[in-house]
Amino acid sequence: MTAAALGQVRRWSAAGLDAVAIRLQATGRALATVGEALERARPPDAWRGAAADAARTGHERVATLLRMLAADIVTVQAGARAASDAVGGIQAALAQAQDLADATGFTLAADGTVADTALSGSDAAETRPAVQAEIVDRVEQVLRASAVLDADLAALLMAVAQAGSTGSPAAIGVVAPPDGTPADSAGWWSALSPAAQRRVVAEHPEWVGNRDGIPSAVRDEANRALLDGQVARFDADLRSVRARYDALTAGGPASLEAVWLAERNDLLGRLGELHRREQVLDAVRATISGSDRRLLLLDLDRTRPRAAVAAGDVDAAEHVAVLTPGFGNTVRGDLTGVADTADALRARSLAALDGAGRHGETVAAVAWLGYDVPVGLFGVATPDAARAGGADLARFYEGVDASRRTDPHLTALGHSYGSLTTGYALQQAVGVDDAVLFGSPGIGTDHVDALHVPAGHTGVVEASWDPVADLGWFGDDPNRLDGVTGLSARAATLPDGTGSGGSVLHAQYLTPGSTSQYNIAATVAGLPDQRIPDPGIGVGDVVRGALDRRSGS
């Protein structure tokens, strides 16, 4: 990353490349005119003899050279157009990095250095290193894309000069994504020209479908294409296995019975697995059938498939919520239900905004089943799945921010074991503005300030008679931690004078019409003063407190 390199990128001219392409186009037309004249000057067929043969040979040689030159001009012209598009994308990405630096009090020096010029003691001091890192990542991707473009265009010109039109202008500036942070991915994507972006989605949807930092609309388009491919492959596999099974069983055992039984059982097992896969595909297709649903994660080639579905426009909404469910939730059995729950929460958040006079503000809610949700008692008793899933969830949070020109009000929501996953994610991610943890057996820490959430913006909801919420299995009971805001799950009168129902046990926190759903929705909408507070102290807390006192802890 040198001063000359960054300075060159700033001075590159898409208009200059367009001018070259226009001149080449004019030259091509002139060559076409010469070619037509040359065709009219072809030696007549009636001319015979050695001189005629020599004239025809010379004429064909000139015509061949002329066709090659015309083809080379077309190739270079297309390369100049592609390079112009690529330069436009690169400079737009650099402008985004510069805008982010200007808006957040950083300077972008000529040598690519990103310096913090904000006064010390800034309210956002904790997040400034992450913002600085994002700007650095974006600049690095600008320079990476510019180096690839420079090399691609040089290679095309060299190929034309040495061997004629053998280059591929359409591939100029199309670079594979980097392995790195969501900001790296966002920088890579923004540095591609619109034509290169369309080519990536069409030819390499696997590059972007599950990549955090890519706009949600792009991820949705890519994942839908990948889902179609999965369905086609499934149909072919199912037809093949069924045909083999039908052929094997049509006439009974045709060889040793033990061998025949083993093969039949193997095919039955594969049919069973295909049936389960069909249920997963059906669940994903049913969940994304709504007009405002977006498929942000699709990873079905796992023992436990993963998916994430958004209700609303994550790219533009002022408020974005990410809901992480807990124990027992699977893509096959629960994706549609969790997505519908997120959609209902979104609707109640919009209603809360309307009630507060903030008409026109928008909300998106994501159902995130992007980790190995435990399905057995042994798995749910350990933090392993939550710890691993928390790292992926942290990247997803940061990707939501990185993929947008302006950050949304981002709320992390975790239920049951999903609250533990959320807790681990919040110890790593930055950029989350609010968090609500409900029915939580612990959040992986006994210190709320270990979560990268602004002070006073971590809410806890505990329903009556919820034994999981009183376990304190993965750290202390969250409603007993200093710094949390207790939110009610009891029947209450809301600020607009309407009544709401109470929640009991472990599965009613997001029941439509409940106080707990309202409180969570008000948090998502950025209306903290509209919430109904309650520490959530119940029988389980009293019993546990007594036991703690007896043990001296």
Side-chain angles (χ1 to χ4, degrees):
M1 188 184 298
T2 64
L6 193 58
Q8 278 184 336
V9 174
R10 291 189 185 279
R11 292 193 299 273
W12 279 357
S13 171
L17 287 164
D18 286 336
V20 170
I22 291 171
R23 292 190 63 180
L24 287 169
Q25 185 177 32
T27 302
R29 286 196 296 266
L31 283 175
T33 301
V34 172
E36 292 169 359
L38 184 63
E39 182 63 26
R40 291 193 297 271
R42 177 183 296 277
D45 293 340
W47 187 15
R48 301 283 187 240
D53 292 342
R56 291 190 183 91
T57 300
H59 182 278
E60 183 58 32
R61 182 169 59 252
V62 173
T64 298
L65 290 173
L66 190 62
R67 286 193 296 271
M68 291 175 60
L69 182 58
D72 288 347
I73 286 176
V74 169
T75 298
V76 175
Q77 178 193 355
R81 293 287 191 194
S84 173
D85 289 343
V87 167
I90 289 169
Q91 292 186 328
L94 181 55
Q96 289 181 21
Q98 186 68 64
D99 290 346
L100 179 59
D102 293 342
T104 53
F106 292 90
T107 59
L108 178 55
D111 64 354
T113 301
V114 179
D116 190 347
T117 57
L119 296 175
S120 60
S122 168
D123 291 338
E126 181 184 359
T127 63
R128 293 193 68 74
V131 175
Q132 184 174 22
E134 178 177 347
I135 299 169
V136 169
D137 288 344
R138 286 180 176 272
V139 172
E140 287 177 347
Q141 293 310 312
V142 164
L143 293 178
R144 178 173 178 257
S146 65
V148 169
L149 169 59
D150 192 41
D152 284 351
L153 186 56
L156 178 71
L157 296 175
M158 186 66 69
V160 169
Q162 293 180 345
S165 302
T166 60
S168 176
I172 285 181
V174 178
V175 54
D179 292 326
T181 66
D184 280 317
S185 295
W188 163 76
W189 180 255
S190 62
L192 294 175
S193 69
Q197 290 176 347
R198 290 191 295 272
R199 182 169 183 177
V200 166
V201 173
E203 299 180 9
H204 299 286
E206 72 282 358
W207 284 4
V208 292
N210 294 340
R211 186 169 293 274
D212 297 317
I214 302 299
S216 68
V218 176
R219 294 179 69 162
D220 177 64
E221 182 181 357
N223 281 327
R224 286 176 187 264
L226 291 168
L227 180 61
D228 289 342
Q230 292 260 6
V231 170
R233 286 191 296 275
F234 165 80
D235 289 341
D237 288 346
L238 184 60
R239 285 194 300 271
S240 174
V241 176
R242 277 180 175 167
R244 290 176 58 191
Y245 180 80
D246 291 343
L248 179 70
T249 58
S255 59
L256 291 175
E257 185 172 358
V259 174
W260 182 87
L261 284 172
E263 186 173 358
R264 187 201 64 171
N265 291 340
D266 177 65
L267 290 172
L268 282 174
R270 293 182 63 183
L271 285 172
E273 178 57 36
L274 286 169
H275 177 63
R276 288 187 289 273
R277 187 174 183 84
E278 181 179 34
Q279 291 176 326
V280 171
L281 292 170
D282 287 346
V284 174
R285 287 190 292 183
T287 304
I288 64 173
S289 61
S291 60
D292 63 347
R293 296 286 177 91
R294 287 184 172 176
L295 184 56
L296 305 187
L297 173 64
L298 182 70
D299 190 354
L300 306 185
D301 295 325
R302 289 175 170 270
T303 303
R304 299 179 191 175
R306 299 179 180 183
V309 175
D313 186 356
V314 175
D315 295 330
E318 285 92 345
H319 308 276
V320 176
V322 180
L323 171 61
T324 303
F327 175 66
N329 283 273
T330 66
V331 171
R332 181 176 63 171
D334 304 285
L335 178 63
T336 300
V338 178
D340 288 347
T341 296
D343 209 348
L345 177 67
R346 173 193 177 219
R348 197 159 195 197
S349 298
L350 289 169
L353 286 166
D354 287 343
R358 288 163 55 176
H359 309 288
E361 292 187 30
T362 53
V363 178
V366 181
W368 191 83
L369 278 72
Y371 75 114
D372 291 340
V373 182
V375 293
L377 292 178
F378 177 77
V380 80
T382 72
D384 297 346
R387 188 177 287 112
D392 291 334
L393 181 56
R395 287 180 61 89
F396 188 84
Y397 293 149
E398 292 179 349
V400 170
D401 283 342
S403 66
R404 298 172 41 131
R405 295 295 296 269
T406 57
D407 291 349
H409 167 240
L410 181 59
T411 302
L413 307 175
H415 174 234
S416 190
Y417 192 87
S419 70
L420 177 62
T421 304
T422 302
Y424 281 122
L426 294 175
Q427 293 175 56
Q428 304 172 62
V430 295
V432 174
D433 302 290
D434 278 288
V436 184
L437 310 164
F438 41 103
S440 177
I443 58 175
T445 178
D446 290 339
H447 304 284
V448 174
D449 57 7
L451 309 181
H452 296 163
V453 179
H457 286 251
T458 299
V460 172
V461 189
E462 181 174 318
S464 299
W465 302 100
D466 181 353
V468 175
D470 287 320
L471 279 176
W473 188 262
F474 302 106
D476 205 354
D477 185 340
N479 74 345
R480 298 169 56 166
L481 299 179
D482 292 335
V484 303
T485 299
L487 302 175
S488 180
R490 307 177 194 275
T493 300
L494 302 181
D496 63 0
T498 62
S500 61
S503 302
V504 295
L505 300 175
H506 189 59
Q508 298 182 3
Y509 289 95
L510 289 172
T511 299
S514 65
T515 302
S516 59
Q517 189 212 36
Y518 167 80
N519 273 326
I520 295 168
T523 305
V524 171
L527 299 168
D529 295 340
Q530 299 289 311
R531 300 182 300 187
I532 309 298
D534 190 300
I537 303 299
V539 173
D541 297 286
V542 174
V543 171
R544 175 155 184 171
L547 292 174
D548 287 347
R549 286 191 295 273
R550 285 175 61 89
S551 65
S553 61

